[in-house]
Amino acid sequence: MPLNYLVQNDSAACKDGIGNLPLVSVITPCFNAKKFLPSLLSCVESQDFQLEHIIVDDCSDDGSWSELEALSRGRPWLKIHRLECRSGPIVARNKAIELAQGRFLAFLDADDLWLPCKTKRQVAFMVESQCGISFTDYRHMSEDGTRVGRLLRGPSRIGLTLHHTTRFMGCLTVVINRDVVKDFRFPEINPSVRAEDFLAWSRVIRFYGPAFRCPGDFARYRVVKNSRSSSKFKASLSVWRLYYVVEGLPGWKAGCFFILFLIFSAWKRLLYSPRLYVSGDASVVKYRL
């Protein structure tokens, strides 16, 4: 990464960035993700923007922490932290946010990827629009990175109703402007609900206004077997609990939102699952299967 994009140590640079470009803090929870770490750091290094990358390891037992220690050498923009005991992704993300110095928070799980222009384009969009939360288009990617799906292109803005019925905003595409959204954290909910990111976006939209789409194909969500989101039944049950129990929506409203969510999810799986071969950088579609 060019030196002029490295994270600066003084507080003024951390707030305003080089050339008045604000610093972005990339938030990554890590648990048993050793095999994905080189590609994760490579995609963050490729961002044409000033940033810091904070990875919090949730007591991995596959050698992830040793790998992070090795990879952090010579990367002053990379900050790593290991939790004392296994606590889950909510605690890991919130710890990373506590360590973050950036005006903007961006979220990238260890097994997902960004395309090189993602950060620069999205932050420029948010600086111009002064919105509190934004998201981008993205594609699903196979676990080995050789296939992607069709582009998931969202609406220009997402309010509470669209947020609940489509659940379009992928965590890997969301950026939070902390000048607008004060004291952002992920809500500490029962891990069985498995929707802390959705609930966090919901609260931001409720109190700070709709999320706005920064147009562009900027991210790849990796479909990994046995991941938290891989069990469709458990994920669907989690959505119902979230609507009815956690958010306390009336039964009829929770039911309507839940039915629309199921329809949208089935449609998304049918049309957008990885089917296309891509080039080595997972950004250019070569041909259809």
Side-chain angles (χ1 to χ4, degrees), residues 81-257:
H81 179 86
R82 183 172 171 87
L83 297 178
E84 294 182 358
C85 61
R86 190 168 299 170
S87 306
I90 299 175
V91 174
R93 285 193 179 111
N94 283 337
K95 182 60 182 180
I97 291 171
E98 288 177 15
L99 299 172
Q101 300 181 71
R103 170 182 164 189
F104 288 87
L105 298 175
F107 307 96
L108 182 63
D109 285 355
D111 51 356
D112 295 332
L113 298 174
W114 289 341
L115 273 63
C117 57
K118 195 260 190 191
T119 308
K120 188 173 185 178
R121 290 279 295 275
Q122 193 167 1
V123 170
F125 170 84
M126 295 185 74
V127 168
E128 182 177 358
S129 64
Q130 287 298 301
C131 62
I133 179 172
S134 75
F135 61 96
T136 74
D137 305 333
Y138 68 104
R139 298 175 191 261
H140 288 108
M141 178 176 68
S142 61
E143 184 168 353
D144 61 4
T146 61
R147 290 175 292 126
V148 297
R150 297 177 181 177
L151 182 66
L152 280 97
R153 180 175 178 175
S156 60
R157 54 188 286 169
I158 292 181
L160 279 176
T161 298
L162 268 181
H163 181 52
H164 281 80
T165 53
T166 66
R167 295 171 67 92
F168 175 84
M169 291 191 291
C171 186
L172 75 164
T173 77
V174 171
V175 173
I176 297 289
N177 181 351
R178 294 207 282 187
D179 276 3
V180 177
V181 181
K182 306 298 183 182
D183 301 319
F184 176 83
R185 288 176 62 86
F186 286 91
E188 296 183 4
I189 57 177
N190 189 316
S192 66
V193 176
R194 301 188 304 168
E196 68 276 0
D197 53 345
F198 172 88
L199 189 56
W201 318 148
S202 181
R203 291 179 177 179
V204 171
I205 292 169
R206 180 176 287 110
F207 292 107
Y208 296 97
F212 289 86
R213 170 180 170 262
C214 173
D217 177 16
F218 296 136
R220 299 288 181 265
Y221 175 81
R222 196 186 302 266
V223 181
V224 179
K225 293 180 181 179
N226 302 319
S227 67
R228 284 176 83 215
S229 57
S230 62
S231 172
K232 303 307 178 185
F233 175 76
K234 289 181 179 179
S236 298
L237 186 60
S238 172
V239 171
W240 170 255
R241 288 189 189 132
L242 177 67
Y243 291 169
Y244 189 62
V245 179
V246 179
E247 292 199 288
L249 297 176
W252 66 269
K253 194 170 189 177
C256 289
F257 282 171

Side-chain angles (χ1 to χ4, degrees), residues 32-91:
N32 288 351
K34 179 180 178 180
K35 66 179 180 179
F36 299 123
L37 292 177
S39 59
L40 169 74
L41 294 190
S42 178
C43 90
V44 173
E45 277 185 311
S46 73
Q47 298 300 302
D48 188 17
F49 202 82
Q50 181 194 356
L51 51 79
E52 63 175 1
H53 189 188
I54 305 170
I55 303 179
V56 175
D57 181 68
D58 190 21
C59 296
S60 298
D61 54 19
D62 69 338
S64 289
W65 179 247
S66 297
E67 182 78 356
L68 283 171
E69 288 182 310
L71 291 170
S72 66
R73 300 187 188 106
R75 291 182 167 98
W77 48 270
L78 176 61
K79 299 177 181 179
I80 60 174
H81 179 86
R82 183 172 171 87
L83 297 178
E84 294 182 358
C85 61
R86 190 168 299 170
S87 306
I90 299 175
V91 174

